[in-house]
Amino acid sequence: MSQKNKKPYHHKKAENHEEQETTLYEGRNAVMELLRAGRTIDKLFVAPDQNGRMADILAMAKQAGAVITQVDRRKLDAMSETGVHQGVIAQAAAHAYVSLDDILQTAADRGEQPLILICDGLTDPHNLGAVIRSAETAGAHGVVIPKRRSVGLTATAAKASAGAIEHIGVARVTNLAAAIDELKEKGVWVFGADAGGDKQLYDADFAGSTAIVIGSEGNGLSRIVREKCDFIVSIPMKGKVNSLNASAAAAVLLYEAVRQRIGEDSHG
């Protein structure tokens, strides 16, 4: 997969999703990427006496017409969900979720085989943010999460994604098993990641239309999702600890897909 062919993700509001609410975006990376993505910021709260990168953020916010309010750091501390606001918090519409069709269309627009990451019940927003960051940097076309028993696109997840949340679509589906069926009907092969996999990831074919499923932090893949997968693949473990956290596992699997696709491109 050539990075030069990677087009920016343009978020579209998926039909039948919940109405958007206002949320907070915290930290310089999150706010900068919000501005770069052209998102409308209702208010920008900043601590006084800032320089460096904050000057760029303030200039972009002014140009975008955002209302900039200077507040005491204690006010930011009280507002902050993450506890690491770096002196800036933006108030904007909550992030729009996309549909599965939007994700598949993104792949088509880039002229690439779909590469989708599915999260089966992640509950830690730091993990979800890190997974989204891994997916975006690997050039994946979207991330899928369930509505129930899963964290959504919170301020903490946005910050943990280091701005990646602005450049990749996240679909939030009512029924993950049904969403997997829908992807399979559209020609996507589904690979679940589990220590008891029937093949190692290096023996899997990720060059075609691919969805990779990562399980929850404590329980891994749920039974019904595991049964829906076409293949179960494992990551070889050479150390004393026999598991990786969700974001590390996602990165390993995604970059094996990147390696295979680079090989396909070079032979194409």
Side-chain angles (χ1 to χ4, degrees):
M1 183 186 308
S2 172
Q3 289 293 312
K4 67 183 180 181
N5 294 328
K6 184 176 163 188
K7 298 178 183 177
Y9 197 98
H10 298 292
H11 288 275
K12 296 172 283 185
K13 180 150 184 184
E15 292 180 8
N16 301 323
H17 278 290
E18 61 270 25
E19 291 184 9
Q20 287 181 269
E21 300 172 351
T22 298
T23 194
L24 301 178
Y25 293 80
E26 306 178 24
R28 297 180 184 186
N29 281 339
V31 174
M32 177 67 85
E33 294 303 330
L34 199 67
L35 288 161
R36 284 177 175 161
R39 295 276 304 284
T40 300
I41 292 178
D42 299 324
K43 281 187 178 180
L44 192 69
F45 300 92
V46 297
D49 304 322
Q50 302 215 43
N51 50 33
R53 194 173 187 200
M54 271 304 302
D56 295 333
I57 290 174
L58 290 172
M60 290 177 69
K62 286 176 184 174
Q63 188 173 5
V67 175
I68 300 171
T69 304
Q70 194 171 97
V71 295
D72 188 275
R73 278 188 177 270
R74 287 172 296 183
K75 167 72 171 173
L76 293 177
D77 291 342
M79 293 171 63
S80 176
E81 176 186 310
T82 68
V84 195
H85 52 72
Q86 299 175 309
V88 59
I89 296 178
Q91 184 181 59
H95 218 287
Y97 292 99
V98 303
S99 69
L100 293 179
D101 284 341
D102 290 336
I103 291 173
L104 294 171
Q105 186 60 49
T106 297
D109 290 346
R110 294 182 189 168
E112 297 169 348
Q113 295 282 6
L115 178 58
I116 301 165
L117 188 69
I118 300 173
C119 301
D120 182 12
L122 291 184
T123 57
D124 184 336
H126 296 93
N127 275 343
L128 178 60
V131 162
I132 290 170
R133 183 178 187 178
S134 294
E136 201 284 326
T137 57
H141 303 103
V143 175
V144 181
I145 62 174
K147 282 186 179 179
R148 297 181 61 193
R149 293 186 290 277
S150 172
V151 68
L153 298 182
T154 66
T156 300
K159 182 168 178 57
S161 81
I165 203 170
E166 295 304 322
H167 305 291
I168 186 169
V170 178
R172 196 178 195 190
V173 298
T174 303
N175 185 311
L176 202 56
I180 289 173
D181 280 341
E182 183 179 340
L183 289 172
K184 289 166 71 172
E185 288 168 6
K186 294 179 178 178
V188 178
W189 292 94
V190 181
F191 298 81
D194 188 85
D198 47 26
K199 63 170 66 179
Q200 289 192 5
L201 77 152
Y202 305 116
D203 297 322
D205 182 1
F206 295 144
S209 297
T210 298
I212 295 170
V213 190
I214 301 293
S216 66
E217 295 91 349
N219 301 317
L221 296 176
S222 61
R223 180 189 57 80
I224 189 167
V225 167
R226 183 186 175 97
E227 290 173 354
K228 291 289 183 182
C229 294
D230 295 303
F231 304 98
I232 303 296
V233 298
S234 63
I235 299 172
M237 298 291 166
K238 300 298 185 183
K240 301 293 185 186
V241 178
N242 66 356
S243 65
L244 294 170
N245 71 18
S247 59
V252 169
L253 289 154
L254 286 164
Y255 273 92
E256 172 58 17
V258 170
R259 186 193 68 80
Q260 292 184 19
R261 289 163 183 237
I262 288 172
E264 289 284 314
D265 288 346
S266 64
H267 290 101

